[in-house]
Amino acid sequence: MFGYRHAFHAGNFADVFKHVILVQLLRALHKKEKPFFVLDTHAGAGLYNLRSPEAQKVGEYRHGIARLWDTGNLSPELKDYREQIAAFNPTEKLGAYPGSPRLIQRLLRAEDRLVACEPHPSEFPILQAEMSGARNVSVLRMDGYEALKAHLPPKESRGLVFMDPSFEMDGEFDRLKSALRLMQQRWRHGMVAIWYPILHRAPSERFHAAVGQQDYPEILCAELGLQPYDSPQGMHGCGVIIVNPPWQLDSTLKRLLPELLEILKTGTQGQTRVEWLVKQAG
């Protein structure tokens, strides 16, 4: 259960993809003055040293954030994301990558609040130390799925649940489907973003079909694929489903994802997808 450590993969193409979307969701929450709440269910260690033996062993960041770091003429949204990463790199050299709780915490306003959950016995104390002293942030050694029961609905009427499981255990898609049903009952109008890997096409397509049956007014799917999905073993792409997405996010992602693909692709057969799984009339 606790074999996965994100330090080996920090800053890879999947991190770039999901965190570009995360920044867009947080920016959308900024458009109203009322405070918002964020629950990060799979927070990880918070900040990753890209010069560490773990990061250097695999070097996945070289095909992820390192490519974006050195790219000029970015769209405003991708430039915004890169500026968030740059805030953790005081020199012009890329040496650190912030995980989701650090990115979220950086984009909290004075009245906003974050609960970050991490059950891993090695990762939790690192996250706790990393977030020590951060205003309006609670760090809990707690299973993210249990946190949905404990912290929803929040006292704030608006906000985001960000779910980024490692998929190291079988049945993760089933747990996510159950989590969506629970959130529909407890916080139907809250925004939810769920990341998933694409190793083969069939499991995520079955997940989409099940998600499409949920009683939500709008559910958007965004995907980035670097290789054909029938390629040999490996993670060929990944996706995020967004429940109750902000207005015009679909148009923004249709513009951003092809740009991101051009920066990150490893061959000539990459693909992007932005599609409504559920769309209310009108």
Side-chain angles (χ1 to χ4, degrees):
M1 178 179 177
F2 292 126
Y4 179 86
R5 291 191 61 212
H6 194 62
F8 290 92
H9 311 285
N12 67 2
F13 84 91
D15 268 1
V16 172
F17 167 74
K18 75 184 92 168
H19 292 156
V20 164
I21 294 176
L22 174 59
V23 170
Q24 288 301 299
L25 298 179
L26 294 168
R27 291 299 189 196
L29 288 169
H30 286 178
K31 292 180 179 179
K32 293 184 179 180
E33 293 184 0
K34 292 181 64 176
F36 63 80
F37 167 77
V38 183
L39 175 60
D40 189 347
T41 61
H42 299 76
L47 186 67
Y48 302 93
N49 180 2
L50 298 181
R51 300 190 181 100
S52 70
E54 294 87 352
Q56 291 295 319
K57 181 177 181 179
V58 185
E60 290 186 18
Y61 74 92
R62 297 188 184 98
H63 304 286
I65 185 57
R67 290 192 175 186
L68 201 75
W69 187 260
D70 294 325
T71 299
N73 299 318
L74 293 173
S75 63
E77 294 87 353
L78 293 187
K79 186 177 180 181
D80 180 15
Y81 159 75
R82 187 172 63 183
E83 287 173 353
Q84 305 311 313
I85 308 304
F88 297 89
N89 292 273
T91 70
E92 293 184 359
K93 292 184 178 180
L94 177 64
Y97 189 84
S100 55
R102 264 314 216 161
L103 285 171
I104 295 166
Q105 184 264 330
R106 177 170 167 74
L107 290 171
L108 292 180
R109 303 166 303 178
E111 66 274 23
D112 303 325
R113 186 168 62 100
L114 166 65
V115 171
C117 300
E118 178 51 54
H120 195 291
S122 298
E123 302 287 87
F124 172 74
I126 300 173
L127 175 65
Q128 190 175 42
E130 180 63 34
M131 306 299 283
S132 177
R135 184 188 63 234
N136 295 345
V137 175
S138 300
V139 177
L140 306 177
R141 186 175 177 184
M142 186 177 196
D143 175 78
Y145 293 105
E146 291 300 316
L148 299 175
K149 302 174 185 177
H151 294 279
L152 298 183
K155 62 182 180 181
E156 300 84 354
S157 61
R158 54 196 294 266
L160 169 67
V161 176
F162 186 71
M163 306 190 73
D164 180 18
S166 66
F167 281 80
E168 66 175 319
M169 297 186 295
D170 292 336
E172 201 70 73
F173 280 124
D174 291 332
R175 283 186 284 275
L176 289 170
K177 287 184 286 187
S178 297
L180 277 171
R181 287 194 292 271
L182 176 67
M183 287 184 280
Q184 193 277 329
Q185 296 167 3
R186 288 176 174 254
W187 198 30
R188 186 172 186 269
H189 298 291
M191 196 188 308
V192 183
I194 298 176
W195 177 87
Y196 57 90
I198 303 175
L199 289 81
H200 305 287
R201 181 73 277 185
S204 53
E205 290 285 17
R206 288 195 293 269
F207 180 55
H208 291 170
V211 167
Q213 301 302 311
Q214 299 276 358
D215 186 22
Y216 284 105
E218 293 186 341
I219 303 177
L220 183 67
C221 165
E223 291 184 345
L224 175 70
L226 300 187
Q227 301 175 28
Y229 296 138
D230 58 357
S231 298
Q233 60 180 322
M235 186 166 68
H236 311 307
C238 58
V240 172
I241 66 162
I242 306 104
V243 176
N244 298 322
W247 184 60
Q248 292 190 329
L249 180 66
D250 57 332
S251 299
T252 300
L253 295 181
K254 285 178 181 178
R255 175 171 49 82
L256 288 184
L257 295 189
E259 179 186 0
L260 197 57
L261 176 61
E262 284 300 308
I263 297 169
L264 299 178
K265 68 182 182 181
T266 56
T268 59
Q269 295 184 291
Q271 60 253 291
T272 65
R273 176 184 184 184
V274 178
E275 179 181 327
W276 289 101
L277 302 181
V278 178
K279 186 74 170 75
Q280 65 181 4

